[in-house]
Amino acid sequence: MLRVATALCLSMVVVTDAYSKSPIPDPPCGFNCSTTDEKSPWNFWLDFETNEWKQKLRVNDKGNPQGWKPFEIKTEADGNKYLSMTVQHGWNTGKGRGKNTTERAELHTKRQDVYGKNVWHGFKIRNAAENPFTGNRLLLAQYYLRLENIGTKNPIPLVAVKYDKVSADSLRIEFYPCEGTINTTLYSRFGNETPYQEPYCSDYGFLPGKYEVSSNPDGVKPLSSDKEWTTYVIGVRVTSDETGFIEIYQNKELVFRWKGPTYGYSKRVPAEIKFGPYRNMNPRKGEKYSPQTFHVDDFVVGSSIQDVTKILWK
C-alpha cells in the first residue's frame, strides 16, 4: 500500500480533469430546503460499548423474521467491544439488481435529506476468520439514495464499496450519480476491464469534474489485512453543481476522489448510510454459500473529515 505522512497530500493519478460548470439543473426541493446549512444531518459515534447502536441504526431486514439475528456484540481480550455481522443463506433476503435474490447483514442510519450537505462517515472492519470467496459480489458499504421515491426501479447506490467477483483481493468502487452508466473503479491484479470509467448521464452526457484514483492500484484490496482492522473514511456532498464531491480513504490512503456533480435526478430524495455484508444468494438450485462474518467497530458520522478521523486515525 502507498504510505504517506499526511493523508491530505497523497500521490494520486488524475484520470479526468474537465472541471467546469455543471450541465445539470438544480432539482426542486420539497423538504428541508435551507441552502445555508451544509452540516451533516447525522452526527454520532458508536463504539458498541453500550446498546446505543440499536437506537441510532436500523436493520435492513426486508421484512424477514431474522431481523437482528445476524448481529452480535463480542468482547476482545483487552475488554474492547465490537459488532460481529454475519451474512448467511436465507437471512434477510430481498431482490437486488437484475432480479437476483440477495441476503444481507446490513445496518443503516435513519433516512435524512442530504442535498447540499457535507457528510463524512467511517468505520473499522476486519475478517472474523478466513471468509470463503464465493465468486460473487459482496458489498461492505453503501451511500444509498431512496430513488424508489421518484419511481426508479431497482435503484443503485450513489456510492458502493465492495468485493469484486474477480477475486478476494479485488476492490470495486461504484459511483452512480444519475440514470446512465455505472461508473466503476476496479482495483484488481486479475481484471481485464478498464480500471475506471468517467461519470456519464443519459440526459446530460459526460459530467465535468476531476476524477482521481490511487497511483498504486495493485496495493489496494477490500481489506488491507486478514487479521488487523482496516479503516474506511467516506465523504460525500450530494448536489447537482460543481461543488459536489466523493472521497474514499482506506487506512489514510485516498483511493477514490471525484470533484463535480453527484446528483442528476429531477427531484430530491432522502438518503441513508448502509454498512455490513450484502451479497447475491447462490444461483445454483439447492446450493448455499457459506456464512461470511465481519467485525466492525467505531462507526462515526459527521460534517467534516476531521469529525471522523479524530476517532479512526488516532
Side-chain angles (χ1 to χ4, degrees):
M1 300 286 288
L2 178 67
R3 302 293 183 189
V4 293
T6 304
L8 299 181
C9 298
L10 297 169
S11 175
M12 300 288 288
V13 174
V14 177
V15 179
T16 63
D17 192 359
Y19 207 65
S20 60
K21 186 172 177 58
S22 170
I24 305 173
D26 193 33
C29 180
F31 60 98
N32 295 342
C33 297
S34 170
T35 58
T36 58
D37 183 8
E38 298 184 347
K39 294 181 180 178
S40 168
W42 306 285
N43 288 277
F44 58 84
W45 168 31
L46 299 175
D47 58 10
F48 302 101
E49 298 295 327
T50 69
N51 280 329
E52 184 185 10
W53 63 282
K54 285 193 173 183
Q55 301 168 15
K56 296 289 188 181
L57 302 173
R58 289 156 169 75
V59 59
N60 186 19
D61 59 16
K62 297 294 183 181
N64 289 279
Q66 293 83 24
W68 295 93
K69 191 174 180 179
F71 311 101
E72 182 182 358
I73 297 296
K74 294 190 174 183
T75 305
E76 297 184 280
D78 63 2
N80 175 63
K81 293 182 178 180
Y82 60 88
L83 180 65
S84 176
M85 314 175 81
T86 299
V87 59
Q88 187 164 312
H89 178 80
W91 281 13
N92 293 335
T93 58
K95 290 294 183 181
R97 190 186 310 167
K99 304 295 184 181
N100 293 310
T101 301
T102 54
E103 47 203 15
R104 57 188 50 72
E106 279 188 313
L107 297 172
H108 64 85
T109 59
K110 180 182 177 181
R111 297 173 188 175
Q112 297 280 7
D113 174 43
V114 295
Y115 191 86
K117 300 182 186 298
N118 302 321
V119 180
W120 288 83
H121 77 280
F123 52 89
K124 298 192 299 189
I125 187 169
R126 70 184 178 194
N127 280 321
E130 274 196 40
N131 279 319
F133 177 60
T134 66
N136 214 321
R137 64 174 185 148
L138 176 71
L139 278 72
L140 297 178
Q142 302 179 63
Y143 198 91
Y144 196 86
L145 301 171
R146 304 306 307 191
L147 296 173
E148 63 270 30
N149 291 10
I150 55 175
T152 301
K153 296 181 180 180
N154 295 322
I156 296 172
L158 174 63
V159 183
V161 177
K162 62 173 69 175
Y163 281 81
D164 188 69
K165 61 184 179 181
V166 175
S167 77
D169 288 334
S170 298
L171 172 67
R172 180 182 291 270
I173 298 171
E174 292 183 347
F175 166 40
Y176 193 78
C178 54
E179 296 288 356
T181 59
I182 301 174
N183 309 290
T184 298
T185 298
L186 177 63
Y187 289 110
S188 174
R189 287 166 290 181
F190 309 101
N192 56 5
E193 64 180 90
T194 304
Y196 54 82
Q197 295 168 324
E198 298 176 52
Y200 179 84
C201 297
S202 300
D203 293 335
Y204 309 107
F206 289 104
L207 297 182
K210 188 173 184 179
Y211 187 19
E212 300 169 89
V213 297
S214 174
S215 62
N216 182 29
D218 286 347
V220 181
K221 301 184 293 184
L223 299 184
S224 59
S225 169
D226 288 334
K227 297 180 180 179
E228 302 299 323
W229 293 106
T230 297
T231 62
Y232 275 100
V233 174
I234 301 171
V236 180
R237 178 178 172 86
V238 174
T239 181
S240 61
D241 65 30
E242 57 273 13
T243 66
F245 65 80
I246 295 171
E247 295 185 14
I248 301 177
Y249 295 82
Q250 186 191 86
N251 291 349
K252 301 185 182 181
E253 179 188 351
L254 185 60
V255 296
F256 179 93
R257 175 187 279 152
W258 164 257
K259 289 186 176 181
T262 55
Y263 195 82
Y265 299 95
S266 60
K267 296 180 181 178
R268 303 184 191 188
V269 297
E272 59 197 29
I273 299 169
K274 295 183 179 183
F275 67 98
Y278 161 65
R279 69 188 187 185
N280 288 347
M281 188 181 288
N282 194 322
R284 297 185 180 89
K285 188 175 181 179
E287 296 187 26
K288 306 175 182 179
Y289 289 140
S290 298
Q292 293 171 293
T293 300
F294 295 86
H295 297 161
V296 171
D297 204 357
D298 291 322
F299 179 86
V300 57
V301 57
S303 301
S304 69
I305 188 172
Q306 290 79 15
D307 289 341
V308 177
T309 57
K310 68 183 179 183
I311 304 298
L312 292 175
W313 291 358
K314 290 188 293 187

